[in-house]
Amino acid sequence: MARVVVDVMLKPEILDPQGQAVQRALPRLGFTGIADVRQGKRFELELEGPVDDAALARIREAAETFLANTVIEDFTVRVEEEGK
Amino acid sequence: MARVVVDVMLKPEILDPQGQAVQRALPRLGFTGIADVRQGKRFELELEGPVDDAALARIREAAETFLANTVIEDFTVRVEEEGK
Amino acid sequence: MSLDTVKNAEQTPDAAQPWAELGLKQDEYARIREILGRRPTGAELAMYSVMWSEHCSYKSSKVHLKQFGEKKPETDAMLVGIGENAGVVDVGQGYAVTFKVESHNHPSYIEPYQGAATGIGGIVRDILAMGARPVAVMDPLRFGAADHPDTRRVLPGIVAGIGGYGNCLGLPNIGGEVVFDSCYQGNPLVNALCVGVMKHEDIHLAQASGAGNKVILYGARTGGDGIGGVSVLASETFDDTKPAKRPAVQVGDPFQEKLLIECTLEIFREKLVKGIQDLGGAGLSCATSELASAGSGGMRIDLDTVHLRDHTLSPEEILMSESQERMCAIVEPDKVARFLEICEKWDVIANVIGEVTEGERLEIFWHGELVVDVPPRTVAHEGPTYQRPYARPSWQDALQADAPTGERLARPTTGEGLRADLLKLASHPNQASKSWITDQYDRYVLGNTVLSVGEDSGMIRIDEETNLGVSVATDGNGRYTKLDPYTGAQLALAEAYRNVAAGGAKPLAVSDCLNFGSPEDPDVMWQFAEATRGLADACLTLGTPVTGGNVSLYNQTGEVAIHPTPVVAVLGVIDDVTRRTPVAFAEEGQLLYLLGDTEDELGGSAWSQAVHEHLGGLPPRVDLERERLLGEILIAGSRDGMIDAAHDLSDGGLGQALVESCLKGGHGARIVVPEGMDPFVFLFSESAGRAVVAVPRSEELRFNDMCTARGLPATRIGVVDGDALDVQGQFTVPLAELKDAHTGVIEALLA
Amino acid sequence: MTTRVGVVTFPGSLDDRDARRAVRLAGAEPVDLWHRDKDLHQVDAVVLPGGFSYGDYLRCGAISRFSPVMETVIEQARQGMPVLGICNGFQVLCESHLLPGALTRNDSLHFVCRDQKLRIENNGTAWTRDYAPGQEIVVPLKNGEGRFVADARVLDELEAEGRVVARYLDVNPNGSYRDIAGITNAAGNVVGLMPHPEHAVEPLTGPTTEGLGFFTSVLKQLVNA
Ligand SMILES: Nc1ncnc2c1ncn2[C@@H]1O[C@H](COP(=O)(O)OP(=O)(O)O)[C@@H](O)[C@H]1O
Ligand SMILES: [Mg+2]
């Protein structure tokens, strides 16, 4: 079965309280040198059929209308490479 | 500045109610042919310095001890390709 | 392009400005030029445009809201009235309580979760700004048709947002409303109420006085939130090297707000603040101009010192940003260090951004250049005022003439028919159990919640030693108000008042959120004028002053406005919360009394909606003296142990009240229809001024004597008994069947 | 000498006041502990209260677990000091690896607040001695991420060693594996519990007063120790 990954991140201009909380905690734990952290969602979809253009188009539509809230989020859709 | 991505997913043996809810909803919205959905987290870290082995090792440690809870989650660390 | 400074504005008087895009009218723009004696700078234009908007200036509603002051009843209870962030009421023992209800309707339609969440965040900061610890929230909500697909999008998001934000702040949710009606389809109403408690000496006001005192901005960093509107200005004035899109939605961070609350309360405890204002709509523009306007002198702000989340923001965007979780305080210079120390303790970012000056101007600098130089009152308090035309709608008479008489709407005539309608009401989304929603709210946190979900009012203990407490109820019936706005608004007050009294508390004061359509429509404006007049008159009669509130206009889709929906919140006080009266029938054998008079009043009723989808006629008659008397009886009965349960009668009438009290207590009731009374009217009429109470047998005599002596009709209608609701000679419904009908309804709709 | 029970306040703790009230009603002296302060101020036991410490961002309890106060709490817990983690406190204890397993998003995906029936499965811990074996109690439950999960080996071990302290009855409100509402460490001094006994200590404000037992139990434990 093929895997398609949809990454959903808050738009850059939108406040990301979770990312901020992580970023503030990192130096306290001794991890320095990280200028910014943003936290988003990752969906792994296992497709039954082949990952052709039609399938990807449908997933893009699902991402646009359902997986992401495009009022505040951006998304990317990609096919997971073999062997991962 | 360089970007490192940490993906955190629930271990396969742990029930993922969020992924399941998405999977159940998809056919209702007209998106069929998706056999399984899992939902995880994606962290985008902007590094101040170069992304060398030392930096990656530190981020792996941060993921192991902090970004993921390895009791229930797996993680991967990767450098985001240019131009994305 | 270069920065639009005051100097630049003086030198380029004819430069074109996007005042129309910013929502200003030609004469408003002319007035700004007149006030300033020159054209405004871009930053000034932005400030005036947002502060003179309907939302901030109340330009359409002000002339009507005035009545709340003019008709204010005599009372010693009001410590701070309309005009501040929220009103403050004396509740005795040195305590003061502040409460206010506000709307976040439009944002919640666009982005339900964040819109509703930031609605809670905003009202909580208003309460905090008065000097009080926020102690509870409530959420009056209106949605479109329960079975409409968009309701499935909007409702779960709004509920999750209210819960997500309120739960994370640690504020118990002690009540609210959920009403479905297709008139709210494109305009759900998300009203949010917060209650706060303080000692009298802790009251703080939003004013900047004392030249040399520092202005401190603290809380979240300032980003581009909610400045979609001003981006026209940014795009005209500046090059396009910045992100093209400015988010119109604000995202809340309840964790940051929780820190802001604890930090601010610690700052209050150490008396470090001269004046304080939350940042809400219009952000820094509003806070600085309001603080300066209410204070003694001028103010000088250096925008470069504002902590930014987005470094590409222009000065006008910084002034307009509606980034959440921020406050602005006026602090004497020698207290600044300690102030900042407390902020550091709570991980709250704080910055001195300016100071109070001798002058009378609000001056704002950017990169050393003067970009704003205005008289603050003209921005904050002297905006335009409209006398919008209004007229009784042409359709009003026909609507009122369409009364739900027996000929117009078929009424059940048999026991079977009555039973079917009772179940239809109990299982209608408007009357069904709301536990799917309320179970998502924490009602226990803080450990002082005495009454909450499923009760007539939310009640909290405010002193653990003396058991002093307060309660709040919110009500508003858009259907009644559509039929007759004057009466509808009064009924909203009467119902909230009755709900507070039913819990055993004495009603003291009112806050309101007036949700209406477009003020540019004379029909809507008439509804607004009538409703405010009705509310003001009723507040005078009942002796409960309006302490503050909010107006939300333009709730309409195209030409179609929502039902006029004034939501009225009544605050009451109770000396001993252990004497509160719950709604549940908990003791077998207790006697059930119906208080008040029942007439054939079904206009706008839940029955006419659930069974016939009909709206017409007149709403129930209002008798405020009767409401007051009923309130007195309910309070005395609770205080003196004569009543163990009480439930006010409102939508769905006696039938629905019995269903709720039986289910809540897990006991049935045997009911006898009084001699000469039509069983249908008895069960489903919505006559106002009524309640059903459970009286212990040992108290029956005393209770009857009290009602007789005071002249309140009290009819014995039955007894708490068994495990069915049994209306003798008519029908019986087992509790299990009632429960089945009443629960799971919302879940099923959303599944 | 009265027993001193510390209640930690993290940024975002909410039920700390309630926990202190419960400690007081049980007859002990509540002591405020601050997350940045390593010093436990000679307390005899510690409660990690409910709430949304650090907003529950990243994972519930994940950030608090690294606070200075937790360094000492972890050290003292290993030496036998009684520690009770309620809700968010339970999450902190799991993140600290003082207790096994993890608490994840409710299977309903909603926050849930309800009066919950529980059975006390182990009345031998520092925090449950005042309950009868198998006693059924009702206390409030309120969480969004309360689903206890662990792998089968850990679950079997918990069962075999009697380390399940409380189990949900009638309704499993969050999908916890094997209806687990609370667990203990092997020594019985560290207990994590998802429901909120501190909200069931007064008839006026709670559904019952059956939560008080947790707080009186630890007093007896300390007096007898
Ligand atoms: N419907 C109303 N009834 C009474 N007072 C109102 C109403 N609407 C607004 N007010 C009062 O007008 C003042 C300004 O309101 P608003 O700008 O909403 O305040 P804030 O910005 O603090 O939320 C407040 O004192 C508010 O209580
Ligand atoms: Mg305000």
Side-chain angles (χ1 to χ4, degrees):
Chain A
M1 236 179 308
R3 171 177 297 175
V4 175
V5 174
V6 180
D7 288 321
V8 176
M9 300 297 293
L10 284 170
K11 295 186 177 184
E13 66 272 18
I14 297 280
L15 174 72
D16 173 15
Q18 306 218 58
Q20 283 197 352
V22 172
Q23 191 193 340
R24 281 208 232 165
L26 284 168
R28 273 186 276 131
L29 306 181
F31 301 106
T32 52
I34 295 167
D36 192 25
V37 179
R38 295 191 65 85
Q39 178 175 340
K41 294 177 197 155
R42 173 187 165 93
F43 296 92
E44 295 182 354
L45 314 183
E46 307 291 337
L47 261 60
E48 272 158 7
V51 190
D52 49 20
D53 283 355
L56 279 178
R58 272 186 310 123
I59 291 184
R60 233 171 252 121
E61 197 194 326
E64 171 96 35
T65 54
F66 178 57
L67 297 177
N69 173 359
T70 52
V71 176
I72 53 174
E73 293 169 328
D74 292 328
F75 65 89
T76 59
V77 174
R78 63 201 158 78
V79 183
E80 180 111 317
E81 311 93 84
E82 285 291 313
K84 272 203 87 169
Chain B
M1 237 178 310
R3 171 177 297 175
V4 175
V5 174
V6 180
D7 288 321
V8 176
M9 301 297 291
L10 281 173
K11 293 188 175 179
E13 66 269 23
I14 302 278
L15 179 75
D16 171 18
Q18 306 201 70
Q20 285 196 344
V22 171
Q23 191 192 340
R24 272 196 307 267
L26 284 170
R28 270 187 277 132
L29 302 175
F31 301 106
T32 51
I34 294 166
D36 192 26
V37 179
R38 296 192 62 85
Q39 176 174 340
K41 295 176 197 157
R42 172 188 165 94
F43 298 91
E44 294 183 354
L45 314 182
E46 306 290 338
L47 261 60
E48 272 157 7
V51 190
D52 49 20
D53 284 356
L56 279 177
R58 273 187 308 124
I59 290 182
R60 235 171 249 119
E61 197 195 326
E64 170 97 36
T65 53
F66 180 55
L67 296 179
N69 175 357
T70 52
V71 174
I72 48 168
E73 295 168 327
D74 294 326
F75 66 91
T76 60
V77 174
R78 63 202 159 78
V79 184
E80 178 112 317
E81 310 93 85
E82 285 291 315
K84 273 204 84 169
Chain C
M1 219 180 112
S2 64
L3 186 64
D4 192 14
T5 61
V6 170
K7 206 181 295 159
N8 186 39
E10 279 163 351
Q11 286 161 358
T12 57
D14 301 323
Q17 295 193 284
W19 50 267
E21 289 89 328
L22 289 170
L24 287 167
K25 297 271 155 26
Q26 170 110 49
D27 56 328
E28 292 173 342
Y29 178 63
R31 200 168 136 218
I32 297 169
R33 294 191 67 127
E34 191 189 323
I35 289 169
L36 297 177
R38 57 171 165 79
R39 78 159 173 89
T41 65
E44 288 167 341
L45 186 64
M47 282 180 83
Y48 277 105
S49 70
V50 64
M51 291 300 291
W52 285 13
S53 69
E54 185 65 58
H55 178 66
C56 292
S57 73
Y58 292 85
K59 55 188 168 191
S60 304
S61 55
K62 228 190 260 180
V63 292
H64 300 283
L65 295 181
K66 261 198 339 236
Q67 299 170 82
F68 295 149
E70 291 160 1
K71 298 180 189 168
K72 192 174 63 164
E74 282 303 315
T75 167
D76 309 330
M78 193 133 101
L79 299 174
V80 175
I82 294 183
E84 282 291 331
N85 287 311
V88 182
V89 181
D90 178 12
V91 296
Q93 299 180 15
Y95 285 102
V97 169
T98 174
F99 74 124
K100 185 176 171 189
V101 56
E102 237 183 30
S103 67
H104 227 217
N105 304 339
H106 304 287
S108 303
Y109 182 64
I110 298 169
E111 202 335 79
Y113 185 97
Q114 295 296 342
T118 53
I120 296 285
I123 190 65
V124 168
R125 283 194 301 283
D126 268 332
I127 293 308
L128 177 64
M130 296 310 299
R133 171 175 283 283
V135 293
V137 295
M138 296 174 97
D139 59 327
L141 307 175
R142 302 290 183 279
F143 299 105
D147 54 2
H148 192 285
D150 202 43
T151 302
R152 222 175 289 162
R153 169 187 75 97
V154 169
L155 185 148
I158 285 173
V159 170
I162 289 167
Y165 205 101
N167 295 342
C168 187
L169 288 188
L171 294 178
N173 186 306
I174 60 169
E177 300 163 71
V178 181
V179 175
F180 299 92
D181 193 303
S182 52
C183 76
Y184 304 110
Q185 202 64 65
N187 296 275
L189 303 184
V190 176
N191 290 181
L193 177 146
C194 182
V195 192
V197 179
M198 67 196 128
K199 290 289 197 167
H200 286 194
E201 60 272 22
D202 293 333
I203 296 175
H204 280 73
L205 299 178
Q207 49 185 244
S209 45
N213 287 342
K214 301 298 179 192
V215 181
I216 299 183
L217 178 65
Y218 67 111
R221 285 189 166 86
T222 299
D225 308 66
I227 53 177
V230 224
S231 50
V232 268
L233 205 99
S235 61
E236 299 229 347
T237 326
F238 291 87
D239 52 48
D240 44 23
T241 56
K242 53 183 62 215
K245 270 179 262 150
R246 294 300 193 203
V249 288
Q250 306 121 25
V251 171
D253 179 356
F255 171 58
Q256 173 73 56
E257 180 125 323
K258 169 68 177 166
L259 299 184
L260 199 59
I261 293 172
E262 297 304 331
C263 171
T264 302
L265 290 172
E266 193 162 331
I267 285 164
F268 287 153
R269 271 201 296 281
E270 297 197 17
K271 310 223 177 303
L272 302 177
V273 168
K274 291 290 286 181
I276 187 159
Q277 170 72 306
D278 59 295
L279 274 76
L284 260 183
S285 292
C286 178
T288 54
S289 62
E290 284 190 354
L291 280 165
S293 172
S296 59
M299 185 182 284
R300 184 194 164 97
I301 298 291
D302 183 3
L303 280 187
D304 301 87
T305 56
V306 173
H307 247 89
L308 297 181
R309 189 173 91 231
D310 173 352
H311 292 278
T312 66
L313 293 181
S314 68
E316 37 282 76
E317 288 175 322
I318 297 171
L319 282 170
M320 274 335 92
S321 160
E322 296 192 346
S323 286
Q324 302 290 297
E325 293 96 22
R326 298 179 299 162
M327 303 278 284
C328 195
I330 307 298
V331 182
E332 287 165 348
D334 60 338
K335 293 184 170 157
V336 168
R338 180 63 189 143
F339 187 106
L340 298 180
E341 211 171 271
I342 294 174
C343 289
E344 197 281 329
K345 170 181 169 188
W346 287 101
D347 285 325
V348 168
I349 295 170
N351 257 330
V352 174
I353 61 162
E355 64 179 37
V356 180
T357 58
E358 297 278 5
E360 284 177 349
R361 312 284 290 187
L362 171 60
E363 299 163 298
I364 300 181
F365 291 82
W366 175 248
H367 296 353
E369 304 260 18
L370 185 64
V371 294
V372 171
D373 181 6
V374 297
R377 279 202 74 78
T378 64
V379 179
H381 291 117
E382 288 164 3
T385 304
Y386 292 161
Q387 296 276 357
R388 300 259 193 209
Y390 58 88
R392 190 168 204 271
S394 53
W395 42 261
Q396 195 76 37
D397 286 341
L399 182 69
Q400 292 186 346
D402 182 24
T405 57
E407 295 83 63
R408 173 73 174 85
L409 303 183
R411 297 179 172 187
T413 50
T414 62
E416 262 323 289
L418 290 167
R419 184 183 198 274
D421 282 8
L422 182 96
L423 287 170
K424 217 175 232 172
L425 258 95
S427 61
H428 186 278
N430 281 350
Q431 276 76 238
S433 162
K434 303 300 183 309
S435 61
W436 186 85
I437 292 168
T438 52
D439 282 358
Q440 297 186 47
Y441 303 149
D442 184 350
R443 57 180 179 273
Y444 284 111
V445 62
L446 296 180
N448 287 314
T449 307
V450 177
L451 296 176
S452 60
V453 45
E455 299 288 349
D456 281 345
S457 57
M459 183 181 287
I460 43 176
R461 173 175 65 185
I462 64 179
D463 187 303
E464 293 185 34
E465 245 81 82
T466 66
N467 283 326
L468 178 69
V470 296
S471 73
V472 183
T474 75
D475 282 295
N477 188 318
R479 285 165 53 85
Y480 289 170
T481 313
K482 173 98 182 219
L483 296 179
D484 178 352
Y486 182 88
T487 306
Q490 297 203 329
L491 283 166
L493 171 66
E495 187 179 340
Y497 183 100
R498 200 184 312 136
N499 276 319
V500 162
K506 178 176 165 12
L508 281 186
V510 166
S511 176
D512 64 322
C513 188
L514 305 173
N515 306 277
F516 287 76
S518 166
E520 293 161 40
D521 176 348
D523 289 359
V524 170
M525 210 51 220
W526 176 79
Q527 294 173 329
F528 186 83
E530 283 295 283
T532 41
R533 189 169 67 85
L535 184 56
D537 288 348
C539 284
L540 182 59
T541 310
L542 285 177
T544 48
V546 177
T547 61
N550 179 246
V551 176
S552 172
L553 300 176
Y554 297 101
N555 293 289
Q556 64 180 60
T557 310
E559 295 295 290
V560 187
I562 60 165
H563 289 342
T565 312
V567 169
V568 179
V570 169
L571 174 93
V573 64
I574 178 166
D575 292 336
D576 179 0
V577 287
T578 63
R579 302 239 55 111
R580 85 280 181 212
T581 315
V583 304
F585 295 160
E587 284 297 326
E588 290 271 323
Q590 292 198 338
L591 303 170
L592 297 177
Y593 273 83
L594 173 62
L595 309 181
D597 288 308
T598 305
E599 313 282 345
D600 184 338
E601 294 184 293
L602 287 130
S605 64
W607 176 81
S608 68
Q609 182 178 34
V611 177
H612 294 284
E613 290 182 44
H614 173 266
L615 176 60
L618 287 172
R621 207 172 36 84
V622 186
D623 178 347
L624 295 167
E625 287 308 334
R626 170 54 65 79
E627 294 290 351
R628 192 210 298 273
L629 174 59
L630 174 67
E632 284 168 8
I633 296 283
L634 289 167
I635 295 163
S638 139
R639 188 191 51 224
D640 299 341
M642 288 182 265
I643 317 182
D644 276 5
H647 198 354
D648 91 298
L649 303 195
S650 55
D651 51 326
L654 176 66
Q656 179 64 21
L658 291 172
V659 168
E660 289 166 4
S661 289
C662 286
L663 287 179
K664 184 112 183 160
H667 291 275
R670 242 181 319 118
I671 303 294
V672 181
V673 182
E675 196 85 30
M677 169 89 69
D678 174 64
F680 166 77
V681 171
F682 175 64
L683 285 173
F684 298 112
S685 162
E686 297 186 1
S687 292
R690 298 184 305 156
V692 59
V693 296
V695 178
R697 283 181 190 272
S698 58
E699 302 300 324
E700 183 176 22
L701 212 58
R702 206 153 64 101
F703 181 72
N704 258 318
D705 285 350
M706 173 172 71
C707 292
T708 314
R710 304 291 309 269
L712 181 71
T715 316
R716 182 162 151 181
I717 57 163
V719 57
V720 178
D721 181 48
D723 46 18
L725 176 56
D726 176 21
V727 181
Q728 299 207 321
Q730 301 293 340
F731 64 85
T732 299
V733 196
L735 283 190
E737 189 179 346
L738 271 184
K739 187 168 178 200
D740 256 12
H742 189 58
T743 51
V745 176
I746 311 278
E747 291 86 320
L749 285 164
L750 298 175
Chain D
M1 207 190 77
T2 48
T3 308
R4 291 161 58 83
V5 179
V7 177
V8 177
T9 300
F10 299 104
S13 289
L14 305 178
D15 301 315
D16 43 347
R17 280 183 198 79
D18 301 70
R20 289 197 288 267
R21 181 190 298 112
V23 165
R24 195 166 7 90
L25 290 173
E29 180 194 347
V31 177
D32 299 1
L33 300 177
W34 180 239
H35 71 114
R36 281 195 198 169
D37 188 356
K38 274 191 191 181
D39 188 348
L40 296 190
H41 303 275
Q42 288 101 43
V43 296
D44 304 296
V46 166
V47 176
L48 305 178
F52 289 69
S53 64
Y54 289 97
D56 273 0
Y57 297 147
L58 183 58
R59 287 181 311 281
C60 306
I63 302 181
S64 310
R65 169 246 181 286
F66 290 100
S67 59
V69 75
M70 280 309 295
E71 276 179 46
T72 323
V73 169
I74 291 171
E75 192 186 295
Q76 298 276 309
R78 295 217 164 100
Q79 289 165 26
M81 182 181 70
V83 177
L84 173 65
I86 303 170
C87 195
N88 194 230
F90 187 7
Q91 293 158 341
V92 173
L93 291 174
C94 288
E95 285 283 342
S96 307
H97 306 303
L98 283 172
L99 293 175
L103 293 144
T104 60
R105 190 82 188 268
N106 294 352
D107 58 354
S108 68
L109 302 182
H110 295 295
F111 184 95
V112 58
C113 175
R114 66 191 307 274
D115 299 340
Q116 178 70 44
K117 194 190 259 193
L118 306 175
R119 185 169 53 232
I120 303 295
E121 301 276 20
N122 174 345
N123 71 336
T125 77
W127 299 91
T128 51
R129 306 170 41 127
D130 273 356
Y131 291 100
Q135 186 175 339
E136 295 181 4
I137 63 173
V138 173
V139 301
L141 168 124
K142 39 171 224 186
N143 62 66
E145 306 196 21
R147 187 174 56 113
F148 181 77
V149 303
D151 61 36
R153 189 187 49 79
V154 169
L155 290 169
D156 290 342
E157 196 177 294
L158 287 173
E159 303 271 13
E161 295 174 9
R163 286 166 55 195
V164 174
V165 172
R167 232 185 274 271
Y168 299 118
L169 291 186
D170 298 347
V171 172
N172 180 334
N174 47 30
S176 287
Y177 287 8
R178 304 194 192 178
D179 300 332
I180 290 175
I183 59 172
T184 179
N185 63 350
N189 64 311
V190 178
V191 169
L193 190 71
M194 214 53 214
H196 289 261
E198 82 283 18
H199 291 324
V201 295
E202 288 184 282
L204 184 68
T205 53
T208 66
T209 55
E210 293 165 351
L212 200 57
F214 281 86
F215 303 92
T216 54
S217 291
V218 76
L219 284 192
K220 291 227 181 87
Q221 163 88 12
L222 290 164
V223 171
N224 295 351

